[in-house]
Amino acid sequence: MGKPTGFLEYARELAAELAPLDRVGNWDEFHLPMEDDKLRTQAARCMDCGTPFCHTGTIISGMASGCPINNLIPEWNDLIYRGLWKEALDRLHKTNNFPEFTGRVCPAPCEGSCVLGIHNPPVTIKNIECSIIDKGWDEGWITPEPPAKRTGKKVAVIGSGPAGLCAAAQLNKAGHGVTVFERADRPGGLLMYGIPNMKLDKEQVVLRRLKVLEDEGVKFICNTEVGKDFPAENLLKEFDAVLLCTGATKPRDLPIAGRELKGIHFAMEFLTANTQAVLNKQSGSDFISAQGKDVVIIGGGDTGTDCVGTSIRHGCKSVVQLEILPKPPSERAANNPWPEWPKVYKMDYGQEEAAAKFGADPRVYLTTATKFEGDENGNVTAIHTVEVEWAKNEKGQFIPQHIPGTEKVIPAQLVLLAMGFLGPEQPLLDTLGLERDARSNIKAEHGKYATSIPGVFAAGDCRRGQSLVVWAFNEGRGAARECDLYLMGQTDLP
């Protein structure tokens, strides 16, 4: 694939980006486009490896290895190397409805399982993917393609996040009338309000694609929570099938002393209010502001990073990010071999910005919070922490144990809880009477997506638990196929 000797001749090179201190003054995307000749060189590094692992999409040791939507990566790398951009875009769209989203926010498990990555830096798959789709938009190759015929069947999709949008796009392509219910004021779910604008531009990227979906016939109904604003019992009366893509939006809390103090928020409250303020061109105090405050973020992952980057753009006084896990090694450990996802130390954009502004990576590892401290007005002023070590309990399970003498007090006027999610919110599921699994997720077999109620399907985080955007794409497309099969007795959807 690509140039047979390219992986021997060319070094890995990523697209340039604005320097951290130059980009934190606004909410714009900061990755710069790469020239076509450089992209061809990077595509040339794709090996003729015989058995490519980059598009396998398997789970190894509980982590994604390869692309969960089975992108035809070696094929479009070869096409880019040969300068066939439109053909590369066609290949990309065969498996991915929205490459402009994954090309910006996916952590790229494909690169973690790239065969070249065994002994060299892997192919820059994510950057090439994003460049293909961006060129497609720039050249005007992406236009609405409404179905030639309609089936007369109506499908309700509940939730307009990654899974819901993929399902809606596919079901509409099959000719069904698709209505997407979204409780927020704008469609997009996690893509709209869970990811900051500098990482995924809402007007130039997200809303642009949503406009195409609307022009293709998908109907979005916002500010409507099914079960409150729209009776849940009317779903199967008004629609021939229902697909639940509500996400896993119940956040993990930290019930320690002082949790009731003002200034302690879940990360999604903070990120959602901020993006709404950016889109509404607000500059006042109608959102949770970190300006002039000592910020402590509890939890890592992408959400924690997004809180770091957002706090810095607000003009925070300082930022600390608490991680209960140990600092990852700089290279793969012996128990983390290829093609597993590489659990290695790296600084994402938020940590890079914090280091540039404050002098160091804001993450503090093997540390947990023990209590919050407040003032006489009930505002949080500090957080008490202690270092931990991981040891086995009597059941053989690893648990964090406090290390005496390592206690510290960190000033904090804003605390953001970014410790993940416990599963989907339950009221709608209770109303519908859906069967759930032991983790409170909707019970539906992967690959089938059918719930305990005939005609009702579930996909994405509400079925599998908190996961990657690209797994939501996988499930949304798969559930659309099964829903189409249910409605028509056969399906041509991939």
Side-chain angles (χ1 to χ4, degrees):
M1 309 299 175
K3 185 177 182 181
T5 57
F7 71 97
L8 296 171
E9 299 175 30
Y10 306 124
R12 175 181 168 100
E13 183 180 354
L14 288 169
E17 55 186 41
L18 294 176
L21 293 181
D22 292 335
R23 68 196 192 216
V24 295
N26 59 63
W27 301 97
D28 299 336
E29 289 189 6
F30 51 83
H31 293 96
L32 303 175
M34 182 179 271
E35 298 88 344
D36 285 5
D37 59 340
K38 287 189 175 182
L39 286 162
R40 290 186 63 194
T41 297
Q42 290 304 301
R45 298 183 70 239
C46 186
M47 304 166 67
D48 187 3
C49 57
T51 305
F53 280 70
C54 55
H55 58 58
T56 54
T58 56
I59 297 290
I60 304 177
S61 299
M63 299 171 291
S65 176
C67 179
I69 51 175
N70 312 120
N71 275 337
L72 305 172
I73 295 163
E75 294 186 26
W76 41 257
N77 276 332
D78 178 55
L79 290 166
I80 292 304
Y81 172 65
R82 293 191 281 136
L84 301 174
W85 285 87
K86 195 169 190 302
E87 290 82 352
L89 178 64
D90 291 340
R91 281 292 194 283
L92 185 51
H93 269 147
K94 281 183 180 293
T95 56
N96 192 341
N97 296 85
F98 314 117
E100 64 268 45
F101 301 160
T102 50
R104 286 169 166 80
V105 305
C106 179
C110 52
E111 295 187 19
S113 63
C114 173
V115 172
L116 180 57
I118 298 173
H119 51 81
N120 271 306
V123 176
T124 56
I125 299 169
K126 179 177 175 179
N127 185 43
I128 295 171
E129 175 186 19
C130 196
S131 299
I132 293 171
I133 186 64
D134 284 353
K135 181 176 278 289
W137 285 105
D138 292 342
E139 297 292 334
W141 295 335
I142 301 167
T143 56
E145 298 179 4
K149 292 194 305 181
R150 289 290 178 182
T151 65
K153 302 289 186 179
K154 296 191 297 181
V155 182
V157 177
I158 317 303
S160 66
L165 289 181
C166 277
Q170 293 295 95
L171 288 165
N172 183 70
K173 188 179 296 184
H176 306 307
V178 180
T179 300
V180 181
F181 291 91
E182 171 56 54
R183 66 182 179 182
D185 60 338
R186 294 177 176 90
L190 171 76
L191 299 166
M192 178 60 67
Y193 287 131
I195 300 170
N197 201 75
M198 62 277 192
K199 194 172 175 179
L200 177 64
D201 190 283
K202 311 309 170 190
E203 294 182 338
Q204 300 300 317
V205 180
V206 180
L207 292 175
R208 175 181 62 182
R209 178 63 82 165
L210 292 172
K211 178 65 167 58
V212 171
L213 289 176
E214 286 184 313
D215 290 344
E216 290 176 337
V218 176
K219 182 180 180 181
F220 292 97
I221 300 179
C222 294
N223 293 306
T224 303
E225 183 172 355
V226 176
K228 291 184 179 179
D229 306 303
F230 182 92
E233 57 270 19
N234 286 3
L235 285 172
L236 286 176
K237 293 178 183 178
E238 298 185 20
F239 297 92
D240 299 292
V242 176
L243 179 51
L244 298 170
C245 300
T246 58
T249 52
K250 184 179 179 182
R252 187 184 302 277
D253 207 344
L254 185 61
I256 58 176
R259 174 61 181 90
E260 75 286 352
L261 292 167
K262 290 178 285 188
I264 303 172
H265 302 274
F266 290 117
M268 283 302 160
E269 293 178 57
F270 176 67
L271 295 175
T272 296
N274 180 77
T275 298
Q276 287 175 327
V278 171
L279 290 172
N280 294 334
K281 307 296 189 291
Q282 293 174 219
S283 58
S285 58
D286 294 332
F287 59 95
I288 303 165
S289 178
Q291 184 175 8
K293 297 176 182 176
D294 297 300
V295 180
V296 174
I297 299 157
I298 303 176
D302 290 338
T303 301
T305 295
D306 293 339
C307 288
V308 172
T310 300
S311 297
I312 290 174
R313 281 163 178 77
H314 284 180
C316 63
K317 182 180 178 182
S318 68
V319 60
V320 174
Q321 188 177 4
L322 302 183
E323 291 260 25
I324 200 169
L325 295 173
K327 183 178 180 179
S330 57
E331 296 182 352
R332 283 184 186 268
N335 62 353
N336 178 217
W338 177 92
E340 290 183 3
W341 171 255
K343 295 182 287 187
V344 296
Y345 173 80
K346 63 178 181 179
M347 286 207 295
D348 207 335
Y349 79 98
Q351 287 84 31
E352 290 177 350
E353 292 164 0
K357 185 166 185 178
F358 299 115
D361 186 333
R363 289 172 290 189
V364 179
Y365 294 93
L366 288 172
T367 301
T368 189
T370 56
K371 72 173 183 178
F372 300 113
E373 186 178 316
D375 61 19
E376 63 278 5
N377 296 316
N379 299 303
V380 67
T381 58
I383 182 169
H384 292 240
T385 69
V386 65
E387 293 179 19
V388 301
E389 59 182 356
W390 289 83
K392 288 185 178 181
N393 61 14
E394 62 278 2
K395 296 180 180 179
Q397 303 166 321
F398 278 99
I399 59 170
Q401 297 182 344
H402 295 185
I403 301 175
T406 62
E407 296 83 0
K408 292 181 180 178
V409 179
I410 303 173
Q413 298 85 52
L414 177 63
V415 177
L416 302 172
L417 306 180
M419 301 179 296
F421 299 87
L422 297 174
E425 295 172 37
Q426 299 297 305
L428 174 60
L429 313 188
D430 290 337
T431 301
L432 293 172
L434 289 168
E435 190 175 348
R436 273 146 278 183
D437 64 19
R439 297 184 301 153
S440 80
N441 299 319
I442 300 171
K443 191 172 184 180
E445 181 185 350
H446 181 250
K448 297 296 183 183
Y449 306 102
T451 71
S452 55
I453 300 176
V456 179
F457 300 82
D461 288 2
C462 67
R463 191 207 68 83
R464 70 180 294 123
Q466 182 189 3
S467 190
L468 305 179
V469 166
V470 73
W471 275 117
F473 279 25
N474 168 294
E475 298 220 347
R477 289 171 62 90
R481 181 182 62 247
E482 293 301 310
C483 185
D484 184 41
L485 179 62
Y486 167 81
L487 291 171
M488 307 302 293
Q490 61 181 16
T491 182
D492 292 325
L493 291 177

